[in-house]
Amino acid sequence: MCLRDLGKVKKKVEQLNIIDDIFFQKMAEDIGFCEETISTAMGQKVKVLQVVPQDSIKNLQGRSVVVDALCELEDGRNVDVEIQKANDDDHQKRVRYNASCITANITSPGEKFGNVPDVVVIYISEFDMFHGGKAVYHVNRIVQETGKAVYNGMTEIYINTRIDDGSDIAKLMKIYTEKDAYDYERFPNTSARKAEFKKNEGGEQKMSSILRDIAKEWAEEMAQEIAEERAQEIAEEREEVIIRKLLKKGMPIEEVAEIAELLTEDAIKKIAEDI
């Protein structure tokens, strides 16, 4: 990689933060980083045995999912850490669906329900989903008639980067979202891992690998857009051929416009003028 290209790489990565999917994937390859996020979210020290970033959970009868980071804890629980920037969906149902797919995927056939593994979903967003002015929300099941909390093996934790309520999770989210934010005392693994990409000269290869992944995503998106645009052009060309034939046979422009699906009445008038 030449110096000019390296400069472009550094500039691009400087704009990324942990809250960005591609950067989070690289961060999540480090178990220490995952342990700090999960421990802070759950309010207790946990040990992560293994983590699979961008784990694909197959569903042969329905929609499959790709979870941002699936972690297995020492106590047997499985934790799905999700990053969500756009507020354009039903996020609670997404959490529910992800958890159900993970549960089905990690449970052996014929297993008794009492042995079904516990699943935790930690959902990190850029918006305050519940509008309560808190950085973190722990959602529990409550029996309506008694007010008693009950547990079925599913834990939901919603974190947002928007609210700074002074909590530890809010301090961690600053490192997730602010370019120069580090906290080596509270979050040494997260800070060191972030600095590995952002500051250290030895992180150049890792930075370039992030950009390669980004470039690949952009290329795929662009190829899809080009294919869709070309398909639209072909459909319009075919419709124009049919419209020309109808106009030549004397069909009024207004009637042709009612039949047309892609071309506007103005476009049809121009075709008529050409004829």
Side-chain angles (χ1 to χ4, degrees):
M1 179 181 291
C2 67
L3 292 177
R4 183 181 62 184
D5 291 338
L6 180 58
K8 290 181 179 178
V9 169
K10 287 183 175 179
K11 185 176 181 180
K12 186 63 182 178
V13 173
E14 283 175 359
Q15 298 172 359
L16 296 174
N17 285 304
I18 302 174
I19 195 66
D20 294 303
D21 286 337
I22 193 69
F23 202 168
F24 178 82
Q25 291 171 29
K26 295 298 180 182
M27 291 287 293
E29 292 173 0
D30 181 72
I31 285 180
F33 162 73
C34 294
E35 283 184 349
E36 285 183 349
T37 293
I38 296 171
S39 295
T40 306
M42 298 181 69
Q44 62 183 85
K45 183 67 176 177
V46 301
K47 181 173 180 57
V48 175
L49 297 182
Q50 65 175 353
V51 56
V52 183
Q54 286 292 288
D55 193 16
S56 179
I57 309 297
K58 301 298 183 184
N59 183 349
L60 298 180
Q61 296 181 338
R63 175 180 176 177
S64 299
V65 297
V66 176
V67 299
D68 290 329
L70 185 59
C71 307
E72 181 184 347
L73 303 187
E74 187 178 40
D75 61 13
R77 286 179 291 181
N78 284 262
V79 182
D80 169 24
V81 183
E82 289 292 315
I83 298 292
Q84 181 64 30
K85 297 184 72 174
N87 188 9
D88 58 358
D89 207 341
D90 190 322
H91 304 286
Q92 292 186 73
K93 284 190 176 180
R94 179 180 177 183
V95 166
R96 171 189 158 197
Y97 188 81
N98 281 15
S100 64
C101 288
I102 293 169
T103 302
N105 189 262
I106 62 178
T107 304
S108 301
E111 187 69 75
K112 290 186 175 181
F113 287 111
N115 297 327
V116 171
D118 290 0
V119 172
V120 180
V121 179
I122 298 174
Y123 201 80
I124 302 174
S125 67
E126 286 191 323
F127 44 90
D128 182 2
M129 189 185 309
F130 299 109
H131 308 289
K134 301 292 183 181
V136 60
Y137 302 94
H138 297 80
V139 177
N140 299 308
R141 299 174 71 241
I142 301 293
V143 177
Q144 180 176 326
E145 287 74 16
T146 66
K148 182 180 179 181
V150 292
Y151 179 65
N152 66 353
M154 165 72 175
T155 300
E156 300 175 54
I157 302 174
Y158 297 86
I159 296 169
N160 71 83
T161 64
R162 181 173 295 276
I163 303 300
D164 183 0
D165 56 7
S167 63
D168 282 346
I169 197 66
K171 292 180 173 64
L172 177 60
M173 289 301 104
K174 282 186 177 293
I175 306 176
Y176 267 64
T177 57
E178 296 181 10
K179 172 185 172 183
D180 297 318
Y182 298 88
D183 190 334
Y184 288 93
E185 182 177 350
R186 288 190 184 88
F187 311 108
N189 293 315
T190 302
S191 298
R193 179 71 172 171
K194 178 180 175 180
E196 208 174 324
F197 292 102
K198 291 282 193 177
K199 293 182 176 182
N200 297 348
E201 293 299 324
E204 292 168 3
Q205 287 300 111
K206 293 179 180 179
M207 289 192 297
S208 64
S209 71
I210 289 178
L211 283 201
R212 280 197 297 272
D213 290 343
I214 293 174
K216 182 180 178 182
E217 287 185 4
W218 285 348
E220 291 174 352
E221 290 175 2
M222 186 173 295
Q224 179 66 23
E225 289 177 4
I226 292 173
E228 291 174 356
E229 289 175 1
R230 184 53 188 152
Q232 177 76 8
E233 290 173 0
I234 292 172
E236 289 177 358
E237 289 168 2
R238 289 175 177 171
E239 185 167 277
E240 182 176 342
V241 170
I242 296 172
I243 286 172
R244 283 183 178 275
K245 290 180 179 179
L246 294 175
L247 291 172
K248 285 179 179 179
K249 288 184 177 183
M251 181 178 285
I253 292 175
E254 293 76 12
E255 292 183 18
V256 174
E258 290 179 3
I259 297 173
E261 295 181 354
L262 302 175
L263 299 183
T264 64
E265 186 171 343
D266 287 340
I268 293 171
K269 287 180 180 178
K270 289 182 180 179
I271 295 172
E273 291 173 1
D274 290 342
I275 295 174

